[in-house]
Amino acid sequence: MKAFVYRGPGLKGVEDRPKPKIQASGDAIVKMVKTTICGTDLHILKGDVATCAPGRILGHEGVGIIDSVGAGVTSFHPGDRVLISCISSCGKCEYCRRGMYSHCTTGGWILGNEIDGTQAEYVRTPHADTSLYPIPEGADEEALVMLSDILPTGFECGVLNGKVAPGSTVAIVGSGPIGLAALLTAQFYSPAEIIMIDLDDSRLGIARQFGATHTVNSADGKAAEAVKALTGGRGVDAAIEAVGVPATFLLCQDLVAPGGVIANVGVHGQKVDLHLETLWSQNITITTRLVDTVTTPMLLKTVQSRKIDPTRLITHRFKLDQILDAYDTFARAADTQALKVIITA
């Protein structure tokens, strides 16, 4: 089968790989139908994710059709159409019982990281009964690809951890796919203001279409001053970091109001300064999280009822044999205006 493979920092390629086989009784082999590229995949390609070794097939998102299942799988059968969660969970270990599926002792974020992932013709999915979701009849499969990772990530790590509430003021730093997913799902809670911050005017324009009340281009280095002006000098109740670079986390520290929350979503590959000399007395909460996908069933119902339309995040479409072009397009988002790309296997 064809597969996209990480070969080491800065190195990648398409290779012929053997079709995966059942290795444990809870496994399923899924024939991929549609997948996508995540910003985390770009971090892997830069060498930021030490757990991902060269030779790994990347990808942790997508929808497909069950090809075969292990003897212990009871909820799915060959021919079933399924949504693949980016998080694999056994449902039994201490962390899973606490709803922290991302820290499952035999799962977590392993697809496209510690085991081969979804950017291929087939993928082996461990803990199939508790890590796959049946696709409802008539569902838009491209919309559901957004439920593998970015919608639950933006919602859980940004909106829920940020304690977004009715009437609150929210700043989302980064108008890429994750930031826009946080914007879409923050509106469940009717905040009074959602301020989107980015360097790219095109993405800020999309943010306004998606419901942002204000946008700020941070290229002049004065984003904090602009946000303070919009909030009467107070700052925001929730500052959501959706990029993963030192400058954006530092900006969140400048934006947050006393008693507020900094909710980190971005994947950080470098150390970041924490300015406790200014924050120590401000009653600030800082949260970190790897998505647990505990909200996927709820988000699935929300998408099915058309309360939100995640297909608005999709800008480009490719075939699997064009995946190198897809990566180039996604990596040059400032030039290509790419948000999410759909790759059809």
Side-chain angles (χ1 to χ4, degrees), residues 132-299:
L132 301 175
Y133 297 88
I135 293 180
E137 190 70 30
D140 185 329
E141 291 182 342
E142 291 191 351
L144 297 194
V145 173
M146 304 300 108
L147 286 173
S148 288
D149 184 355
I150 65 164
L151 272 180
T153 295
F155 184 51
E156 295 175 15
C157 304
V159 177
L160 295 184
N161 269 19
K163 296 180 171 59
V164 175
S168 63
T169 301
V170 181
I172 301 174
V173 182
S175 291
I178 289 291
L180 292 171
L183 168 61
L184 286 173
T185 54
Q187 294 171 71
F188 293 159
Y189 295 96
S190 300
E193 295 179 289
I194 306 177
I195 305 165
M196 296 293 292
I197 303 169
D198 203 276
L199 298 167
D200 188 328
D201 282 330
S202 173
R203 288 191 165 186
L204 291 174
I206 293 169
R208 287 190 291 273
Q209 295 174 27
F210 281 22
T213 57
H214 305 281
T215 57
V216 174
N217 189 308
S218 56
D220 61 2
K222 298 180 179 179
E225 291 92 328
V227 170
K228 290 294 180 66
L230 289 169
T231 58
R234 179 175 170 273
V236 297
D237 300 304
I240 298 173
E241 196 288 321
V243 181
V245 297
T248 51
F249 189 80
L250 290 170
L251 176 57
C252 286
Q253 296 177 52
D254 294 333
L255 299 177
V256 68
V261 179
I262 298 173
N264 183 80
V265 186
V267 178
H268 289 269
Q270 303 175 50
K271 68 176 183 178
V272 182
D273 291 330
L274 176 62
H275 287 291
L276 283 177
E277 74 277 11
T278 58
L279 295 178
W280 70 270
S281 62
Q282 299 300 297
N283 294 45
I284 300 301
T285 300
I286 298 173
T287 66
T288 67
R289 186 170 182 173
L290 180 59
V291 64
D292 293 301
T293 65
V294 292
T295 63
T296 299
M298 180 276 288
L299 291 169

